[in-house]
Structure formats: structure tokens, C-alpha cells
Amino acid sequence: MKKSVILTLIAIYAVSICVVGYFGLNVRILNPTVYADTVTIDYVLYGDTKIDYKTNQSGKYVRIKDYDEGQSIKIVYTVTPHDATDKSVTFSCDKSLAEITKDGIVTLNKKKVILDVTVTVDAAQNVKDKIKILVGY
């Protein structure tokens, strides 16, 4: 090969390394995924009444002594960080005791029940919080 061809190839190689190095260091992700790292049950609404939870060795619980059939019980929660890409949650409980909507509204099947409710924000990361609802006790 001629000397000029070899020098041209070396020059192109050097310039390409510089260009890739410069732009490679300045790559930015336009829409980064922010994962939820906690979900926290804040309180329970019984009708229009806010009921703050208490804690014992078993965890969080609320007590509703006199349950009026048809009255709503709503689980109020917070997902953090606040800029999480996906803040959707799922609720789960014993379906023989109650039904729970995707919005956290509980409908009891009995007037006297101890219900464990789990709120999960990211099943893959096992991010969840639990509360026990004691009704009629």
C-alpha cells in the first residue's frame, strides 16, 4: 500500500475515535424510568372520617367498631418517589371476607371481620405495605 493511503486510514481512525469518544460521553436518556421504591398506607377513610392507623407487633391496623352496611372504607396510600414512572398499585385481601376495588375501596361481606389488606406497587421489586382492618371488634 502506498504511504498516503496508510496515513489517510490512520487519520480517519483517529478522528473516528475522537468523535465517538466525545459523543459517547454525552449520551442522555430522554425518558428515564424511575422505579417506585416505597408504597406507604397513610390512613383509612370510613365514610368521611379519617382513621389514622396504629401499630403493634403485627404491624399497622385500624379499628372500626360500628360498621354501617354500605358505608365505604378507603385505603389512602402514597407511592414514592413522587416522580416514579409507574405509580399503579394492586390491592389484595381475602375475597371471602371482602371485595376491594382498584382504587382501594373495600366492601365487606360481613359486619364483623378481621381483614388483612396488602397494597403492592411493584410486584417485581416486592414493594408493598400491609394493614389489618378490624371491624366490629
Side-chain angles (χ1 to χ4, degrees), residues 21 77 123:
Y77 61 92

Side-chain angles (χ1 to χ4, degrees), residues 19-36:
V19 168
V20 169
Y22 176 76
F23 288 110
L25 294 176
N26 291 315
V27 172
R28 293 188 183 137
I29 299 173
L30 298 177
N31 294 320
T33 301
V34 179
Y35 294 98

Side-chain angles (χ1 to χ4, degrees), residues 12-113:
I12 292 172
Y13 180 71
V15 169
S16 66
I17 288 175
C18 292
V19 168
V20 169
Y22 176 76
F23 288 110
L25 294 176
N26 291 315
V27 172
R28 293 188 183 137
I29 299 173
L30 298 177
N31 294 320
T33 301
V34 179
Y35 294 98
D37 56 16
T38 59
V39 59
T40 305
I41 296 172
D42 299 321
Y43 56 91
V44 171
L45 281 176
Y46 175 57
D48 294 330
T49 306
K50 176 184 172 184
I51 304 173
D52 290 316
Y53 65 84
K54 297 178 181 170
T55 56
N56 61 18
Q57 67 276 9
S58 300
K60 297 177 182 179
Y61 71 94
V62 293
R63 188 176 303 246
I64 300 172
K65 291 188 179 188
D66 299 317
Y67 175 71
D68 295 328
E69 196 169 326
Q71 188 69 279
S72 65
I73 300 172
K74 180 171 175 54
I75 311 288
V76 180
Y77 61 92
T78 303
V79 175
T80 55
H82 296 290
D83 62 344
T85 306
D86 183 7
K87 290 185 179 184
S88 60
V89 299
T90 57
F91 294 91
S92 58
C93 67
D94 184 344
K95 299 217 185 283
S96 68
L97 301 176
E99 293 293 322
I100 189 162
T101 68
K102 62 181 173 103
D103 299 319
I105 298 172
V106 179
T107 304
L108 299 175
N109 296 339
K110 301 177 180 183
K111 283 190 136 198
K112 195 171 188 181
V113 67

